[in-house]
């Protein structure tokens, strides 16, 4: 991933990106559990407190294991692709049983929605902070996720659409430095590829609207949006 140094006001880095507490640590966003080795250079990193740095780990582990099983179409450990997930599920039989029961519930995947949304919200907070140098701690208006192969044509069109920016990013932020211009010279939004085929995200900051979209392992499309932003 091409790293861009932020030149925004350093006073914007005095809070944990996830809760607003004093930042005693730094955290990768996305967590390395979602990525493959060798990890890309210059992964996105945000300031975090100790509690947030470790407090999401169990949900992230659950999330990553469910995505691996769902994208491979099986909960059989030997048929999975990612070695770290195989090791996790062999070590944590309780987690493997929970995922197995979730798959068997209705022929699909009956995920623990609250845990999924907790992880996606953390990612959204981190991406907003990393790209635009601003923290957001309010509950979003919606958190949405769906397998890419099940998107309707309309959903796919909206999810992958690129629009002209209606609001300038924070001065000196990465979002400001990553600006792309359309053929007629207008600033447009763009996707950021953390690791090919593994994790990409998109941050849109417009008047009264903040949107973070995420693609995980070319399998899951996710959107977190604040539509009443002031």
């Amino acid at each position: 991933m091409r790293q861009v140094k932020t030149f925004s006001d350093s006073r914007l880095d005095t809070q944990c990106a996830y809760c607003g507490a004093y930042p005693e640590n730094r955290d990768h966003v996305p967590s390395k559990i979602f990525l493959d080795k060798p990890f890309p250079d210059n992964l996105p990193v945000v300031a975090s407190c100790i509690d947030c740095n470790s407090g999401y780990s169990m949900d992230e582990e659950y999330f990553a294991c469910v995505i691996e099983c769902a994208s491979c179409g099986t909960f059989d450990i030997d048929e999975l692709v990612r070695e770290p997930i195989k090791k996790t599920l062999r070590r944590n039989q309780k987690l493997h049983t929970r995922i197995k029961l979730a798959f068997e519930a209705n022929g699909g995947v009956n995920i623990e929605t609250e845990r999924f949304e907790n992880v996606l919200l953390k990612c959204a907070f981190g991406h907003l902070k990393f790209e635009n140098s601003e923290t957001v701690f309010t509950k979003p208006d919606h958190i949405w996720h769906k397998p890419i192969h099940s998107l309707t044509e309309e959903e796919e069109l909206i999810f992958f659409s690129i629009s002209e920016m209606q609001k300038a990013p924070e001065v000196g932020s990465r979002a400001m430095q990553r600006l792309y211009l359309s053929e007629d010279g207008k600033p447009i939004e763009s996707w950021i590829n953390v690791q090919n085929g593994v994790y990409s995200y998109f941050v849109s900051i417009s008047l009264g609207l903040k949107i973070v979209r995420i693609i995980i392992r070319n399998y899951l499309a996710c959107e977190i949006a604040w539509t009443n932003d002031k």
Side-chain angles (χ1 to χ4, degrees):
M1 174 180 174
R2 183 178 67 90
Q3 188 63 280
V4 176
K5 180 178 174 58
T6 180
F7 294 98
S8 55
D9 193 328
S10 60
R11 290 174 295 181
L12 298 173
D13 292 325
T14 57
Q15 291 180 300
C16 169
Y18 310 121
C19 72
Y22 180 78
E24 307 142 302
N25 213 324
R26 295 176 72 77
D27 187 44
H28 289 101
V29 54
S31 169
K32 288 183 177 179
I33 196 170
F34 301 133
L35 306 175
D36 293 333
K37 292 183 179 180
F39 298 125
D41 295 330
N42 300 317
L43 289 174
V45 176
V46 295
S48 69
C49 66
I50 292 177
D51 287 344
C52 287
N53 189 275
S54 60
Y56 291 86
S57 58
M58 291 185 66
D59 286 347
E60 289 175 330
E61 184 178 71
Y62 169 81
F63 187 104
C65 289
V66 169
I67 293 299
E68 175 67 2
C69 292
S71 61
C72 292
T74 181
F75 51 78
D76 186 329
I77 296 176
D78 292 332
E79 294 183 14
L80 301 179
V81 174
R82 300 188 64 205
E83 288 299 327
I85 301 301
K86 290 182 179 182
K87 291 179 182 178
T88 295
L89 292 176
R90 288 193 178 105
R91 181 187 73 247
N92 191 338
Q93 288 296 318
K94 184 177 179 180
L95 175 59
H96 185 225
T97 298
R98 292 182 74 150
I99 294 175
K100 182 178 178 180
L101 291 174
F103 269 71
E104 294 176 337
N106 57 4
V109 185
N110 186 25
I111 64 168
E112 297 176 39
T113 303
E114 184 176 348
R115 301 184 75 179
F116 251 57
E117 293 186 351
N118 191 37
V119 172
L120 292 177
L121 185 56
K122 180 199 176 190
C123 290
F125 284 154
H127 294 324
L128 282 168
K129 171 59 180 174
F130 187 76
E131 292 302 320
N132 201 48
S133 300
E134 66 172 336
T135 50
V136 180
F137 306 121
T138 57
K139 184 178 179 180
D141 292 280
H142 81 259
I143 300 179
W144 170 90
H145 50 84
K146 193 172 182 180
I148 293 175
H149 65 79
S150 68
L151 296 177
T152 66
E153 288 187 15
E154 182 179 5
E155 288 173 336
E156 187 172 345
L157 180 63
I158 293 172
F159 185 80
F160 290 102
S161 64
I162 300 295
S163 303
E164 293 179 2
M165 289 186 176
Q166 300 176 12
K167 176 184 175 181
E170 179 73 29
V171 174
S173 67
R174 292 177 178 85
M176 173 66 78
Q177 297 176 70
R178 293 189 205 273
L179 281 177
Y180 286 86
L181 299 180
S182 63
E183 292 182 357
D184 54 0
K186 295 181 179 180
I188 56 176
E189 302 158 337
S190 61
W191 282 86
I192 296 166
N193 187 29
V194 177
Q195 190 172 46
N196 288 331
V198 176
Y199 194 103
S200 300
Y201 68 89
F202 169 93
V203 174
S204 175
I205 303 166
S206 300
L207 297 175
L209 177 69
K210 289 184 176 72
I211 296 176
V212 177
R213 291 179 182 143
I214 302 169
I215 300 174
I216 301 175
R217 309 203 75 84
N218 281 338
Y219 171 78
L220 193 69
C222 316
E223 180 176 280
I224 305 91
W226 290 258
T227 58
N228 297 312
D229 180 54
K230 302 299 182 182

